[in-house]
Amino acid sequence: MSAEMANEIKLISGRSHPELSEKIAKRLGIEVARTISLNYSNQETSFTVGESVRDEDVFIVQSTATGDVNEGLMELLIMISACRTASARRITAVIPNFPYARQDKKDKSRAPISARLVANMLQTAGANHIITVDLHASQIQGFFSVPGMATRSLLTLLVLDRADSSVVDNLYAEPSFLRYIRENFKPEDCVIVSPDAGGAKRATSIADHLNTAFALIHKERPRPNVVGRMVLVGNVQDKVAILVDDMADTCGTLVKAAAVLKEHGAKSVLALVTHGILSGNAIETLNNSVLEALVVTNTVPLGDKLERCPKIRVIDISPTIAEAIRRTHNGESVSYLFTHAPV
Amino acid sequence: MVRNIVVLGGNSHPELTKSVCEILGIPPCNRILTKFSSGESRCEIQDSVRGKDVYIIQTGFGGNGSRLNDHFMDLCIMISACKTGSARRVTAVLPLFPYSRQPDLPYKKTGAPLYKAQSESDKKNYTFDSVPVTPGPGTAQSTGLSNGADLLKSALTNGNGHANGDAYFGGQSIYTTHDYENASHVGAFQAKPGYKQWVAQAGTLVANLLTCAGADHVITMDLHDPQVQGFFDVPVDNLYGRPLLKRYIQTHIPNYKDAVIISPDAGGAKRATAIADSMGIDFALIHKVRSPPLAPIQAYQHPLFFTQERRPTKITDRQNASMMLVGNVTGRVCILIDDLVDTGNTITRAAKLLKKEGATTIYALITHGVFSGDAINRIKASAIDKIVVTNSVPQDEHKDLLGNKLDVLDISHIFAEAIRRVHHGESISVLFNHD
């Protein structure tokens, strides 16, 4: 069966998150393709292909390790380009944490729209399809309620930028979060809190699904990575406050929000975040905070952070990604995954 | 003072940006170019670029704690930012073009060909090349430099008493052409049986990415492969470091008319002959003779291959290359010419062969001095008397380490002049061949 069966899934793993690739491969019942990425001593990236990808359905898994975003991105581009050179039938870049997703608008004069540049680069390298998780753009939360009819700012940007555009599938960690909350808490004891106005839709969507109360924290942000004053809208008295966000970077927002929630009488505070980037002093900030737990998915490699911070808990997102890969390969609908998390 | 022009520098080579701007008589564009704590590049261009002719200087070099891929992404982001900021034209100035040269076999820990001693079975094996390669009529030919550290060592110490670089070959010869974070991981890598592994060449990709980011024009210098120019859909000006190297030969090398220009490999012969011809100096060539061993028969157990003749495996060619000099250098000054010194393996080997053949002094004139890995130590220990590079990549650190052995030529005026001419729409071909 194997020799003549062309067009199989070839799962190629970048260096950034081999554990995730392994989990996905295990889930799909295949092996990660034999390739190796290295850096020359002059720091150029080299990518060696050790098996044929001709006429295969190639999926390249590359997250972006914190601090090494550009290395990972360049490696991904070289991998895509190599597979295209090697006559792969279709190349799908699986980028759980889309790099530069936050730089998605020209917010001041001559600011680069790097997210769009990255999207263009991926297409230039030869990616036909992109699978990602929880793209950072406030509008995309509308996608939860009306599947397939979203007003998706970054997605629109990605898709409409070129005529020969790649197709983007944005997956959601929300179903996994819902299951986590249902398994660990009584929904009636909880309040879902959005740490900023931009994430309100994401939080309300979860609150609606669980039929719980909802609260919002309004914040002022003078500069990137710096958080200003915070105001709570809603009641969290004697409740388990669950902060919901798409990424935790320096954790300044989350920790301040947690403090505000505690001040307003919350019984305990935890945070559910898709991408645990956790850069800078995030670990120290978390350890010294009133936040009881930070629950993240494994879209971003955590390295030794789990040991350094006992508050971090991880939800495995690989079943969702593996299922998306399987469905994409077989030409089935992916939208089931927007509301259900595979077990 | 040049009007309506903006020169924007990346983080890879601030000194070059500064001196180019000084020559052009304009201040460099104010920008913020750092990293967010997450590792994403942060770029803010603080001066207006609307309707301006923008030149972004970023060389393909990572060192001094910075990363090459960061610099390249920074460049793309800067180009893109200028484009969205309504710049009239954006020119990427890459003194050293990144990913322009990639070796084929990066994963061998024993990547340096010197490391692997020739085995007995290799020696008696048949080769498709005629060995030794037929030299031209009337040219002297060396006996060649046998492969393997031990052989080289004995050749150097016993041959003419020159023990330069000996320390490097004594005891454990642990040369690595390339440094890796995880050697065991590299060693464990194996291609699928029956598939010949290959390394992706990123040259075209890099060209496409620059165009995709919005570069309208590219200025670079001494491309390793001039064909890279053809990868681009936009104009590429490939400047030459040759005039600078020639001037150095004329002014710094005594009796240069009696010297010999050497190309350390056949690929660079054209580059070296161009200089030799225009100056009327003799030329010699170091040639890598490849003696491929026979493939072990069990590698071809597949019935299809049984009928075929046994063929040499190409993959081991490099390890079995031995060096041979075509031309005469006895008692003469040798000038090695190459475009790029990276790990320094080729030129140090070439220098050893030249010393063995009786060269008196060895100069190495090279456009791009990357000096990665253990290049600095290797060159320190080598037979090279003087190495001359341009500042297409920052050389301060190399200068500190190599001291008087290294001379640095300044290329900022070439780039400044190229930028000025491109801006004014003048011909830059003058820069290609002022002899």
Side-chain angles (χ1 to χ4, degrees):
Chain A
M1 146 153 191
S2 63
E4 49 276 87
M5 206 172 107
N7 193 19
E8 292 179 52
I9 297 177
K10 284 274 176 192
L11 191 74
I12 294 179
S13 172
R15 270 179 295 178
S16 65
H17 204 347
E19 300 84 8
L20 182 66
S21 312
E22 283 297 335
K23 279 185 177 149
I24 294 171
K26 209 174 164 198
R27 186 89 191 173
L28 291 169
I30 58 173
E31 278 184 18
V32 176
R34 295 192 191 185
T35 62
I36 186 168
S37 308
L38 299 164
N39 276 71
Y40 292 107
S41 53
N42 65 5
Q43 300 189 359
E44 288 178 2
T45 306
S46 86
F47 177 61
T48 309
V49 184
E51 66 180 82
S52 175
V53 297
R54 183 174 294 273
D55 213 17
E56 305 283 19
D57 198 6
V58 176
F59 292 83
I60 305 176
V61 181
Q62 178 79 309
S63 182
T64 44
T66 304
D68 257 352
V69 173
N70 292 336
E71 287 289 329
L73 180 56
M74 203 59 202
E75 185 182 319
L76 175 63
L77 292 168
I78 291 172
M79 289 192 286
I80 294 171
S81 167
C83 291
R84 190 173 67 163
T85 318
S87 310
R89 180 179 290 188
R90 179 174 62 175
I91 301 163
T92 306
V94 182
I95 317 167
N97 176 28
F98 198 88
Y100 291 98
R102 280 173 288 183
Q103 298 185 33
D104 59 350
K105 57 199 163 294
K106 194 173 163 180
D107 48 6
K108 56 184 90 152
S109 300
R110 296 174 296 281
I113 308 172
S114 305
R116 177 172 131 174
L117 175 66
V118 171
N120 283 347
M121 284 177 140
L122 289 168
Q123 288 174 0
T124 303
N128 306 106
H129 197 127
I130 292 162
I131 295 178
T132 182
V133 180
D134 275 359
L135 267 177
H136 175 91
S138 55
Q139 289 89 336
I140 58 178
Q141 277 76 39
F143 201 37
F144 289 131
S145 45
V146 194
M149 287 180 59
T151 48
R152 296 169 288 171
S153 71
L154 180 55
L155 289 179
T156 319
L157 206 66
L158 293 167
V159 176
L160 296 185
D161 209 66
R162 290 189 154 208
D164 58 336
S165 72
S166 312
V167 180
V168 182
D169 275 322
N170 187 25
L171 304 173
Y172 298 96
E174 191 196 50
S176 308
F177 284 168
L178 289 173
R179 182 192 295 149
Y180 181 88
I181 296 171
R182 285 194 183 114
E183 282 174 0
N184 291 281
F185 303 97
K186 281 188 192 146
E188 58 270 25
D189 293 345
C190 301
V191 187
I192 307 295
V193 187
S194 171
D196 58 17
K201 273 192 175 170
R202 176 190 302 272
T204 46
S205 170
I206 291 183
D208 287 352
H209 277 98
L210 294 169
N211 220 357
T212 59
F214 165 79
L216 174 98
I217 288 173
H218 173 69
K219 73 176 170 185
E220 291 151 1
R221 187 191 281 274
R223 296 195 298 284
N225 293 346
V226 176
V227 186
R229 209 165 53 90
M230 291 190 152
V231 187
L232 175 71
V233 184
N235 186 12
V236 294
Q237 190 74 43
D238 297 327
K239 295 266 192 176
V240 176
I242 300 176
L243 285 157
V244 175
D245 207 350
D246 62 342
M247 49 178 86
D249 191 348
T250 53
C251 293
T253 312
L254 284 179
V255 166
K256 281 205 175 177
V260 170
L261 292 169
K262 269 281 184 195
E263 276 169 31
H264 285 80
K267 198 161 62 181
S268 66
V269 185
L270 68 150
L272 257 66
V273 176
T274 311
H275 306 295
I277 296 169
L278 305 178
S279 71
N281 295 323
I283 298 297
E284 289 71 32
T285 314
L286 280 175
N287 282 334
N288 299 328
S289 73
V290 295
L291 206 61
E292 198 166 273
L294 173 70
V295 184
V296 297
T297 69
N298 56 349
T299 52
V300 181
L302 289 167
D304 64 343
K305 285 169 192 157
L306 278 175
E307 284 101 75
R308 284 165 54 209
C309 180
K311 292 181 178 177
I312 301 177
R313 283 166 214 166
V314 182
I315 299 176
D316 187 10
I317 196 83
S318 65
T320 304
I321 297 175
E323 187 60 17
I325 290 176
R326 200 189 62 74
R327 285 171 181 255
T328 305
H329 175 66
N330 293 333
E332 296 168 21
S333 165
V334 179
S335 56
Y336 172 82
L337 297 171
F338 298 155
T339 46
H340 297 80
V343 185
Chain B
M1 176 78 189
V2 189
R3 282 169 211 282
N4 235 5
I5 185 172
V6 171
V7 174
L8 183 58
N11 289 330
S12 60
H13 201 347
E15 299 87 11
L16 184 68
T17 311
K18 194 165 157 265
S19 51
V20 165
C21 285
E22 268 167 19
I23 295 168
L24 291 171
I26 51 166
C29 179
N30 287 314
R31 90 287 194 274
I32 295 174
L33 187 60
T34 53
K35 267 185 168 188
F36 289 113
S37 56
S38 64
E40 293 177 359
S41 298
R42 174 187 179 196
C43 168
E44 276 174 37
I45 293 162
Q46 291 161 308
D47 295 341
S48 171
V49 295
R50 186 175 296 274
K52 297 275 177 66
D53 197 7
V54 181
Y55 294 83
I56 306 176
I57 301 176
Q58 183 83 293
T59 196
F61 175 77
N64 314 332
S66 63
R67 303 296 299 264
L68 178 123
N69 287 336
D70 281 335
H71 291 323
F72 182 70
M73 281 307 298
D74 285 353
L75 174 64
C76 291
I77 290 170
M78 282 190 287
I79 294 172
S80 169
C82 290
K83 271 293 184 188
T84 46
S86 309
R88 183 166 60 82
R89 181 174 63 172
V90 179
T91 304
V93 181
L94 297 134
L96 169 57
F97 197 84
Y99 290 96
S100 56
R101 189 192 75 146
Q102 284 206 290
D104 311 338
L105 293 176
Y107 46 84
K108 281 275 186 273
K109 182 112 171 79
T110 54
L114 276 173
Y115 178 64
K116 193 186 169 198
Q118 219 166 7
S119 68
E120 275 307 307
S121 62
D122 289 345
K123 278 181 195 160
K124 60 178 183 229
N125 276 332
Y126 158 85
T127 169
F128 280 88
D129 293 330
S130 58
V131 175
V133 169
T134 321
T139 52
Q141 192 206 305
S142 74
T143 50
L145 187 61
S146 309
N147 198 14
D150 296 338
L151 290 169
L152 177 79
K153 186 180 168 186
S154 64
L156 286 175
T157 47
N158 304 335
N160 54 9
H162 180 73
N164 217 348
D166 192 40
Y168 259 81
F169 300 105
Q172 290 260 315
S173 21
I174 36 161
Y175 261 143
T176 54
T177 312
H178 303 290
D179 299 342
Y180 297 123
E181 300 133 27
N182 192 347
S184 60
H185 174 56
V186 177
F189 176 71
Q190 272 188 327
K192 268 219 165 141
Y195 189 74
K196 190 187 154 195
Q197 64 205 57
W198 53 280
V199 180
Q201 300 290 310
T204 324
L205 173 70
V206 167
N208 288 339
L209 293 178
L210 285 174
T211 336
C212 153
D216 300 299
H217 195 133
V218 173
I219 302 177
T220 182
M221 182 178 243
D222 277 357
L223 277 173
H224 181 70
D225 278 325
Q227 282 83 353
V228 170
Q229 260 180 298
F231 295 167
F232 281 93
D233 295 331
V234 298
V236 178
D237 286 319
N238 184 20
L239 305 175
Y240 293 118
R242 198 188 300 152
L244 275 179
L245 301 184
K246 273 168 71 176
R247 199 176 310 142
Y248 184 90
I249 294 173
Q250 285 162 341
T251 52
H252 287 77
I253 299 178
N255 301 325
Y256 69 91
K257 288 278 181 198
D258 297 327
V260 189
I261 302 270
I262 315 277
S263 171
D265 57 21
K270 216 171 167 187
R271 208 172 283 122
T273 47
I275 291 187
D277 286 351
S278 67
M279 301 182 76
I281 324 182
D282 283 350
F283 167 76
L285 172 81
I286 289 171
H287 176 56
K288 279 182 195 143
V289 182
R290 285 174 187 179
S291 46
L294 271 182
I297 188 80
Q298 60 268 29
Y300 294 104
Q301 282 295 352
H302 194 280
L304 267 179
F305 288 102
F306 264 135
T307 51
Q308 291 186 1
E309 226 178 318
R310 296 201 296 170
R311 294 180 66 84
T313 46
K314 283 216 180 97
I315 209 144
T316 49
D317 282 4
R318 261 158 204 272
Q319 277 88 4
N320 290 317
S322 61
M323 288 179 122
M324 192 168 284
L325 177 72
V326 183
N328 191 357
V329 298
T330 315
R332 298 172 81 175
V333 173
C334 289
I335 305 168
L336 279 160
I337 302 280
D338 208 349
D339 62 329
L340 193 145
V341 51
D342 185 358
T343 55
N345 197 19
T346 310
I347 57 156
T348 48
R349 288 190 76 199
K352 272 164 207 130
L353 176 61
L354 293 172
K355 275 281 173 184
K356 182 179 163 252
E357 292 295 320
T360 53
T361 316
I362 297 170
Y363 291 87
L365 270 66
I366 288 148
T367 312
H368 306 294
V370 176
F371 300 116
S372 76
D374 42 17
I376 296 279
N377 288 331
R378 188 177 288 169
I379 284 164
K380 264 189 186 165
S382 77
I384 298 168
D385 296 288
K386 192 88 167 176
I387 184 154
V388 184
V389 296
T390 71
N391 62 348
S392 62
V393 300
Q395 296 293 352
D396 293 350
E397 200 183 328
H398 304 150
K399 184 73 188 165
D400 290 345
L401 292 167
L402 282 170
N404 282 333
K405 211 165 191 176
L406 179 74
D407 271 356
V408 180
L409 307 174
D410 187 22
I411 53 161
S412 53
H413 60 274
I414 298 185
F415 277 93
E417 185 62 16
I419 288 172
R420 203 186 60 76
R421 283 173 182 262
V422 168
H423 175 65
H424 290 298
E426 296 168 17
S427 165
I428 66 161
S429 52
V430 177
L431 293 175
F432 295 156
N433 48 12
H434 59 82
D435 287 333

